[in-house]
Amino acid sequence: MTPRSRGALLRSGRKVFEERGYHRARIADIAAGAGLSVGAFYKNFESKADLFRHLLITVEDEVYGELAVHREPAASPRERIHQTNTLYMKAFQRNAEFWAAIEEAGLTDKESRSVLDERRRYYLTRTMRAITRWQDQGLVDPAIDGRAAAAFLGAMAERCAYLVFVFGEPVDPDAMTDTLTNLWSNALGVA
């Protein structure tokens, strides 16, 4: 297994998943797209699901990882919410074709769903901690259930991104981000 072969398979796999979806993607096509044999594929990955899992984690790390890197510590909750929504939407937009394959795989493939669930729990916990911290600082309504708010508001943002960038709902991304920020802020009771 060479890093070069693995990288070529990851790039080819992403392209094939984006063009054909999860179920119609074939290992032979992924290997051919990388200029490698099917045997070389199996030296790098156990299965199509294994390759997809690696791609899913890479894309989710890009989408959600930007949120951790680009934070300004002194920002108010409303500013942080807007910043987070902006970064999330831009990263989702860049990866929209792959998110369609993620949705398909998550509905039918147990391993992919498990990875998605694990990642969502991780980011749900991060959002919940932020809400709790803001509650402790008196910046967010203390009566809000932080876990429920994090889950429901996160799902709303994710679904909005999916409708706009995958289904092509005609909404201006900046207007969507502003509206999502207002909805989050109002739901949390941000001053």
Side-chain angles (χ1 to χ4, degrees):
M1 167 172 78
T2 67
R4 188 179 260 166
S5 297
R6 187 174 181 84
L9 288 165
L10 285 165
R11 286 186 298 279
S12 176
R14 179 170 176 152
K15 183 176 180 191
V16 171
F17 285 126
E18 288 175 350
E19 291 174 353
R20 298 188 183 173
Y22 180 77
H23 293 295
R24 290 184 29 216
R26 297 177 333 138
I27 290 172
D29 296 328
I30 294 168
L36 298 167
S37 68
V38 171
F41 175 93
Y42 284 109
K43 287 181 183 176
N44 288 277
F45 299 99
E46 293 176 14
S47 62
K48 176 174 83 168
D50 182 39
L51 169 71
F52 188 78
R53 178 180 175 277
H54 282 84
L55 287 168
L56 189 152
I57 290 170
T58 300
V59 168
E60 283 214 326
D61 281 347
E62 178 186 337
V63 171
Y64 293 112
E66 284 189 29
L67 306 180
V69 172
H70 292 93
R71 295 216 182 225
E72 295 176 23
S76 71
R78 184 179 188 82
E79 291 166 334
R80 285 192 184 189
I81 291 166
H82 189 270
Q83 183 182 48
T84 298
N85 284 333
T86 300
L87 292 169
Y88 179 79
M89 293 304 162
K90 286 180 180 179
F92 197 105
Q93 185 176 22
R94 281 193 308 273
N95 294 287
E97 290 176 343
F98 193 72
W99 276 104
I102 290 172
E103 183 87 1
E104 177 191 357
L107 291 172
T108 57
D109 181 73
K110 285 182 182 181
E111 184 179 344
S112 295
R113 186 171 349 171
S114 174
V115 172
L116 280 169
D117 288 344
E118 170 193 318
R119 309 293 286 175
R120 283 192 179 117
R121 277 192 304 276
Y122 172 75
Y123 291 104
L124 170 72
T125 300
R126 287 175 51 126
T127 303
M128 187 177 67
R129 280 196 312 255
I131 292 170
T132 302
R133 186 174 59 253
W134 294 335
Q135 286 173 319
D136 292 344
Q137 295 169 353
L139 302 171
V140 166
D141 182 350
I144 299 289
D145 177 340
R147 182 173 180 69
F152 301 150
L153 293 170
M156 176 181 64
E158 183 179 325
R159 194 62 186 168
C160 286
Y162 191 81
L163 290 172
V164 171
F165 300 121
V166 175
F167 282 174
E169 188 71 27
V171 175
D172 175 60
D174 292 332
M176 176 178 60
T177 300
D178 291 343
T179 301
L180 283 170
T181 298
N182 288 335
L183 291 169
W184 274 71
S185 297
N186 292 340
L188 296 174
V190 173

